Structure formats: structure tokens, C-alpha cells
Amino acid sequence: MHPMVKPALRRGWRDLNTVQFGMAPAHAMVLGPMDTATGSLLTLFDGTRGLPLLRDEGRRMGLPDGHVDGLVERLAQAGLLDDATGGGPAADALRKKPAVLDRLRPDVASLSLVAPEPGDAMRRLAARRSLRVQVRGAGRVGVVLAAALAGAGVGQVDVHDGGCVEPWDVAPGGLPVESIGERRDEAARRAVRRAAPNRPPRRGSARQAPEAEDPGLSLVIITPRDGLAVHAPDPSAAEPLIDSGTPHLYAGVVEGTGVVGPLVLPGDTACAGCLDLGRTDRDPTWPRLLAQWRSAQSRHVPACDLALSTAVAGLAAGHALAFLDGELPSSAGARWEVSVPGFDWHSTPVWDHPACRCGAAEKAKGEQTSDDEGPHETMAGQQPHAARLSGTWRAHV
């Protein structure tokens, strides 16, 4: 082990005996009491020394035997310690690619803030390289999102879409102006390869239909260029994903509103069918409106504010990465929405519906009746799944 105080957190002395690690409240921590000699020893916890050498340094500084090991244990318990050589074989393989790792150093530093165990940040980052994500939609949201995932170290990010690139598909970080007129999926895949720290080999021209579900997919992200398809996703289009147990996330822009979510974990969290049935319960005219919107053929370029689409792509990428890293983002069982011009994000729960074939409501009912200390009931007995998942999907991914 080569102990290292997590470099993402800046240090400052609050007084002669108390050290603050980190500036922002979300991850900052105060540690004390700490004497001056121990504070000097901390500067040597930079990942370049193993424990034997640190013990020698401690003795040279006049610190008692066992002091270094006690400090290591104290830092580890506080979640402030990393291991510059930890993370397992996959992390070791990544360290042998210095050019790739240099591109990803900001990401591993950020992961260290949420990965408490020493070496866990590198383990999570290395694990991303084995994951496969499919993005369905190559517009202003989809390609920027796909490029962000590839740039963050996800090993295989594929983009599916039809047609050719239009001038209004172009976006910074997404499709370049040079791609206008080319096939959308091919242009999007080139953008993904350019963003990847180690560019994956170019795939062949054979195209897999999105409906042919691949059990090896870690996540599917649905980013339709048609705003209606994200505002009111078609439940039948997601049936293959539900049947194959493939996690999927919705993200896009409708008119002047950006949408991220729900993240659907089939059989556990509410799906597009639950969303549609719930809307019909609350508003009997919803099916009539939806039929009109779907049957109308608009000849106008859909509204998609560039700053809004970029914000949606960024938030969706963050939620996707959190899920891929083994966490449960707040889009599980909820939709995040933001509208121009205020850009004020807010979330709305998506409740599992007892009439939906996805089975989430039935499972929730079973969990409720089998747990005397179950969560407080709302909405006539339904629960937002984000509050009750046990970690099954983290193991799945």
C-alpha cells in the first residue's frame, strides 16, 4: 500500500490543532486534534512511499512507533485515504497506459470523493472500460452525452439513429459542422471515438437494430430528437428493454424544457408505461392529446436550445455514470426537468402503476407487506422506488 491523502480535497488549518480537508460542504471534513509533527507527516502521504518508508520517516521526525499506522487507520476511517497502487489488476493495467490515465486523472480524483475505500476510485474507473452503453438518438443531446461517457472512460459507447446529419444537429462537443449530410450514426460514432481517451477500434458497417436487445449492455440511454418521444415516451418501444431486463434512461428536450429520467430498472422502478398510465389517471384527456400530438406531422425544426441541450446531456451523463459506477442516481423513479430561461432544475416522482405490465408495483407491494418497518405510504400505497432499492442493480452492473 502507498498511502495518499485524497488529492481532490484541499487542506487548510482551522487552528493549531484542527485540519479541514476540502472546501465545498458536500465532501469537506474536519479532523482533529492534530499536532504540528503529524501535520508535517501528512505532507508525505502523497502516494510515492510505502508504509515501511513512512514508518522510517515518522521515526526520524521523533514520532512514536505505531503513530504512522494509527494515522493511516484514522484517515481510512474518515474516508480521506487513497492507495496509489490499489484497485486490483484492472487498475494496474490502466496505470500501464499513462497517456490514457493522464486524460482520466480529473475523473479518478472526483471518484475518490465518493469511493470511500483506498484504491476504490481507480477500481471504479478501470471497471468503466469493460462496460457497454447504447445511446439511441444522435441529435444535440445524444451525441454530446455519448461523447461525455466515452471521454469519462466507458469502454464501448455506441450510438443508433437513422437519416443524415442536418445543420441543426450540430453542437459543440457533439456532431461537427463537417458531418452535415453524412449518416447520423456513423458521424456520431466518429465523435465518440474522438472523445475516448483510448480510441476504440472502428467497428464494421453492420448495424444492429435497436430492438434486438443485447444482454451484454450495461445501460441504454434513450435520447430522441423528437421532443414528444421524451416528454411522453412510447411504452411499446421500451417493451423489449423491459423483457430483457435492460436498464434504460430517458433524456431529451421538448420545446423549452429539458428532461432527464426516469432511470428504469425493469421490475424495480417505474417505466414509461407507468408514466403513461399515471398521467391518464390524473388527466382523462391525456390519451386524446397524445394521439393528436403523435399523428401530427410538423414541418418545422423542433426547438432545442443549445445551452439547454448541453445541460441535459451533462446531467444525464452524470446520472448514467453514477449508475454504472454502482450508485443509485436520483433519476431512478423520478424525472428531472429544467426550462428556459430560468434553468431551475426540479424533480417529479414517477410512480409505479399497478396496471402496468412491468411488474414494479407488484414487487413493491410484496416488499411492503413483508417488511413491518417498510417506508411510509404515499399516493394510495405506491412508493417511489428510489427510496427502497436494496442494491440488487448495483450488483447487476
Side-chain angles (χ1 to χ4, degrees):
M1 181 179 186
H2 282 57
M4 175 174 59
V5 177
K6 292 185 176 179
L9 298 173
R10 293 193 181 184
R11 257 175 285 171
W13 288 83
R14 297 181 66 89
D15 54 43
L16 292 177
N17 300 301
T18 311
V19 185
Q20 177 172 320
F21 296 85
M23 299 180 290
H27 301 107
M29 188 174 298
V30 175
L31 200 62
M34 185 173 294
D35 57 81
T36 304
T38 303
S40 299
L41 180 64
L42 270 181
T43 62
L44 304 180
F45 281 57
D46 58 3
T48 63
R49 301 168 179 84
L51 277 173
L53 185 54
L54 285 172
R55 293 185 187 112
D56 291 341
E57 296 285 358
R59 281 190 289 269
R60 276 194 288 270
M61 297 170 67
L63 295 169
D65 289 343
H67 190 82
V68 168
D69 294 88
L71 181 59
V72 167
E73 183 178 358
R74 190 177 176 191
L75 292 171
Q77 289 177 346
L80 294 170
L81 191 71
D82 208 345
D83 180 6
T85 59
D92 291 337
L94 181 56
R95 291 188 185 96
K96 294 178 181 177
K97 301 176 181 289
V100 175
L101 184 55
D102 283 346
R103 285 275 304 272
L104 295 169
R105 287 194 187 280
D107 300 274
V108 73
S110 179
L111 278 171
S112 74
L113 300 176
V114 296
E117 298 298 323
D120 197 31
M122 275 295 294
R123 181 192 63 78
R124 293 191 187 192
L125 184 68
R128 288 180 181 179
R129 292 161 57 83
S130 64
L131 300 179
R132 299 179 59 202
V133 175
Q134 184 184 95
V135 178
R136 298 184 179 178
R140 282 185 162 189
V141 172
V143 182
V144 174
L145 192 160
L149 294 179
V154 176
Q156 184 173 325
V157 182
D158 198 11
V159 185
H160 286 264
D161 206 342
C164 297
V165 178
E166 300 287 356
W168 46 86
D169 294 323
V170 172
L175 294 173
V177 67
E178 296 81 8
S179 65
I180 294 175
E182 298 178 354
R183 289 190 57 88
R184 278 198 182 93
D185 53 359
E186 293 178 357
R189 290 166 188 164
R190 281 199 301 274
V192 168
R193 287 196 299 273
R194 285 193 299 269
N198 55 327
R199 297 186 181 182
R202 185 170 183 173
R203 298 180 62 190
S205 58
R207 298 180 181 86
Q208 178 187 11
E211 291 75 16
E213 303 311 333
D214 186 337
L217 287 171
S218 303
L219 179 66
V220 170
I221 308 177
I222 302 168
T223 58
R225 289 177 286 111
D226 175 14
L228 177 60
V230 72
H231 178 63
D234 184 357
S236 63
E239 285 181 359
L241 294 169
I242 298 292
D243 293 340
S244 64
T246 304
H248 48 288
L249 172 68
Y250 294 91
V253 173
V254 52
E255 298 172 348
T257 298
V259 178
V260 175
L263 169 64
V264 181
L265 309 180
D268 273 312
T269 67
C271 68
C274 297
L275 177 65
D276 183 63
L277 290 167
R279 280 172 161 165
T280 302
D281 289 345
R282 295 189 300 272
D283 181 4
T285 65
W286 170 254
R288 183 186 309 157
L289 289 169
L290 189 56
Q292 294 175 68
W293 291 333
R294 285 179 175 164
S295 62
Q297 295 293 327
S298 176
R299 298 181 180 180
H300 302 288
V301 175
C304 188
D305 180 87
L306 183 58
L308 181 63
S309 64
T310 304
V312 168
L315 186 67
H319 283 231
L321 288 170
F323 173 71
L324 295 171
D325 291 337
E327 304 293 339
L328 189 67
S330 58
S331 54
R335 277 160 60 108
W336 283 92
E337 297 187 2
V338 62
S339 301
V340 294
F343 283 87
D344 181 19
W345 285 100
H346 63 277
S347 67
T348 304
V350 179
W351 307 97
D352 43 46
H353 198 283
C356 185
R357 63 180 294 273
C358 73
E362 188 65 26
K363 180 175 182 180
K365 183 179 178 181
E367 291 175 354
Q368 181 74 19
T369 56
S370 64
D371 185 0
D372 293 335
E373 300 297 327
H376 178 68
E377 294 194 12
T378 56
M379 292 284 289
Q382 299 178 56
Q383 309 292 330
H385 277 283
R388 68 168 181 263
L389 283 178
S390 61
T392 303
W393 282 97
R394 279 176 275 193
H396 173 78
V397 176

